[in-house]
């Protein structure tokens, strides 16, 4: 005989719930004894690992006794050459320093390297050219004439560092001109969002770095100068001098005026961004307009002879009577 058949349905439900509650209470009480908590051991292990990492880094830093400096030192050989021949006077007028800054080289080391290389280059090119003429070409001309030719070629080495710096400046200015309108758009957004000019420059420098490292470098340097220079106008003027780009100088003038008279900067930046964008477009149009004259000589040299050969060959074959 089934006894549960005589138990009412509500009483069955109550019994099942009581049995489940008793089972849950037993599991809860016995759980810490059945499964150990290893959290404390894991935390202790992590702390020990962190301490070992600290000790390893301290040992590595103590082993490295080289002085840390943000300013690069010139090579000893170049410094000795500059001091020996008293070449530092050539950089006293500041023209070499300004050109090196426009090319992206700052500090005392690039100036020393430039002066030393400008002195070494003619001698190195002269020696290389003389060895090439005497050992490989072996001309029948007199030795004095060969030496004179080598000296003439070697004298061009004096201008080689200046040509390199000039090309570097041109490439850097083109990169700045290409990305400067986008930098102004970012600067306009940050200024209109309520940021100060220093925070806006810092934000733009962080965001524009992927597109143009040159602009990011100049903007971050300007941010640093705004922080420690007493005259903020000097920081803006330094930005224009370092870049040498007309669009940057125009923006610098607007920033100086806004700093002096307290005028609104947002509208000026919007106008400057549009003007720089128009300048970039006009430069592209000039390059496109100059393309047909540049293609004239290659077409005359390479296309017309082939065209004449294709046209004249059948006629020449017919005249010669070749079947």
């Amino acid at each position: 005989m089934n006894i549960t058949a005589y138990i009412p349905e509500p009483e069955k439900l109550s019994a099942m719930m009581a049995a489940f509650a008793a089972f849950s209470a037993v599991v809860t009480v016995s759980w810490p004894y059945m499964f150990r908590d290893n959290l404390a051991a894991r935390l202790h292990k992590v702390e020990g690992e962190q301490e070992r990492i600290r000790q390893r880094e301290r040992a590595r830093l103590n082993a490295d006794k080289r002085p840390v400096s943000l300013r690069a030192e010139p090579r000893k050989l170049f410094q000795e050459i500059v001091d020996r021949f008293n070449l530092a006077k050539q950089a006293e007028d500041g023209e070499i320093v300004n050109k090196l800054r426009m090319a992206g080289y700052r500090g005392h080391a690039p100036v020393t390297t430039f002066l030393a290389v400008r002195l070494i280059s003619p001698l190195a090119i002269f020696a290389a050219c003389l060895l090439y003429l005497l050992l490989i070409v072996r001309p029948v001309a007199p030795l004095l004439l060969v030496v004179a030719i080598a000296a003439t070629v070697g004298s061009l080495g004096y201008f080689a560092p200046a040509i390199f710096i000039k090309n570097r400046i041109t490439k850097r200015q083109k990169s700045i001109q290409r990305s400067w309108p986008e930098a102004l758009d970012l600067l306009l957004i940050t200024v209109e969002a309520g940021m100060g000019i220093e925070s806006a420059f810092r934000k733009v420098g962080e965001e524009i770095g992927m597109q143009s490292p040159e602009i990011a470098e100049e903007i971050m340097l300007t941010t640093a100068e705004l922080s420690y220079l007493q005259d903020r106008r000097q920081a803006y003027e330094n930005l224009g001098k370092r870049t040498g780009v007309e669009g940057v100088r125009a923006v610098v003038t607007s920033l100086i005026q806004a700093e002096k008279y307290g005028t609104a900067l947002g509208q000026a930046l919007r106008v400057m961004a549009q003007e720089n964008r128009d300048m970039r477009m006009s430069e592209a149009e000039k390059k496109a307009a100059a393309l047909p004259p540049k293609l004239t000589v290659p077409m005359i040299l390479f296309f017309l002879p082939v065209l004449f050969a294709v046209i004249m060959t059948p006629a020449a074959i017919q005249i010669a009577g070749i079947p």
Side-chain angles (χ1 to χ4, degrees):
M1 181 180 293
N2 191 2
I3 300 177
T4 58
Y6 297 96
I7 301 176
E9 292 296 333
E11 294 180 359
K12 289 181 180 181
L13 182 61
S14 299
M16 293 174 61
M17 293 178 64
F20 179 75
F23 176 75
S24 300
V26 172
V27 171
T28 302
V29 173
S30 61
W31 186 272
Y33 300 97
M34 294 186 298
F35 303 97
R36 295 288 182 180
D37 187 9
N38 297 325
L39 179 60
R42 292 199 301 269
L43 292 177
H44 182 70
K45 185 177 179 180
V46 170
E47 291 177 357
E49 185 66 24
Q50 291 178 349
E51 185 61 28
R52 284 192 293 272
I53 292 174
R54 292 192 190 98
Q55 292 177 0
R56 185 174 68 246
E57 293 298 322
R58 290 195 194 101
R60 184 180 64 82
L61 293 175
N62 292 331
D64 190 5
K65 297 298 184 180
R66 292 176 300 176
V68 179
S69 177
L70 296 177
R71 183 170 300 187
E73 295 295 333
R75 293 186 179 181
K76 187 176 180 180
L77 175 61
F78 293 159
Q79 187 65 49
E80 290 179 355
I81 292 174
V82 172
D83 295 339
R84 180 71 174 82
F85 295 95
N86 197 15
L87 300 177
K89 292 183 177 181
Q90 300 179 9
E92 290 179 354
D93 56 352
E95 183 179 358
I96 296 177
V97 177
N98 292 332
K99 288 184 177 180
L100 291 174
R101 286 177 180 175
M102 293 173 65
Y105 301 108
R106 301 179 183 87
H108 177 64
V111 178
T112 303
T113 303
F114 177 82
L115 295 175
V117 170
R118 192 169 64 174
L119 180 64
I120 296 173
S121 295
L123 301 177
I125 295 176
F126 167 74
C129 183
L130 185 61
L131 292 176
Y132 177 78
L133 292 176
L134 294 178
L135 300 179
I136 298 178
V137 178
R138 295 179 180 179
V140 296
L143 180 61
L144 185 60
L145 180 60
V146 175
V147 173
I149 294 174
T152 303
V153 176
S155 63
L156 300 177
Y158 181 83
F159 304 98
I163 294 174
F164 172 78
I165 294 299
K166 185 177 180 181
N167 293 335
R168 177 82 177 182
I169 292 173
T170 302
K171 292 180 180 179
R172 199 164 185 270
Q173 288 179 346
K174 287 182 179 179
S175 177
I176 293 175
Q177 288 175 349
R178 193 177 297 114
S179 302
W180 185 242
E182 284 76 13
L184 289 181
D185 291 336
L186 291 175
L187 186 62
L188 174 62
I189 292 172
T190 52
V191 168
E192 290 186 344
M195 288 187 178
I197 191 63
E198 295 182 13
S199 302
F201 267 102
R202 185 179 296 108
K203 186 65 176 177
V204 173
E206 294 173 356
E207 296 294 334
I208 203 67
M210 295 296 294
Q211 182 176 356
S212 177
E214 293 81 5
I215 293 181
E217 181 183 358
E218 295 297 339
I219 289 179
M220 295 304 290
L221 185 57
T222 303
T223 304
E225 289 183 345
L226 287 172
S227 301
Y228 70 82
L229 287 181
Q230 296 182 355
D231 189 5
R232 297 165 64 91
R233 177 178 179 178
Q234 186 64 37
Y236 296 138
E237 291 179 351
N238 291 339
L239 176 60
K241 292 179 181 178
R242 289 194 306 268
T243 57
V245 180
E246 189 64 30
V248 178
R249 291 177 178 175
V251 175
V252 165
T253 303
S254 299
L255 292 174
I256 293 175
Q257 291 179 353
E259 186 77 18
K260 183 177 180 179
Y261 301 106
T263 57
L265 191 58
Q267 185 63 29
L269 289 176
R270 185 177 289 105
V271 173
M272 290 295 173
Q274 185 61 39
E275 288 182 357
N276 281 270
R277 196 173 288 107
D278 294 340
M279 290 172 60
R280 185 175 61 181
M281 182 60 67
S282 64
E283 188 68 22
E285 292 176 352
K286 289 180 181 178
K287 291 183 178 180
L291 188 59
K294 293 180 180 179
L295 290 176
T296 302
V297 176
M299 290 183 65
I300 293 174
L301 293 178
F302 299 105
F303 287 94
L304 291 182
V306 177
L307 183 61
F308 288 153
V310 171
I311 295 174
M312 299 300 295
T313 300
I317 292 175
Q318 292 180 1
I319 294 173
I322 299 175

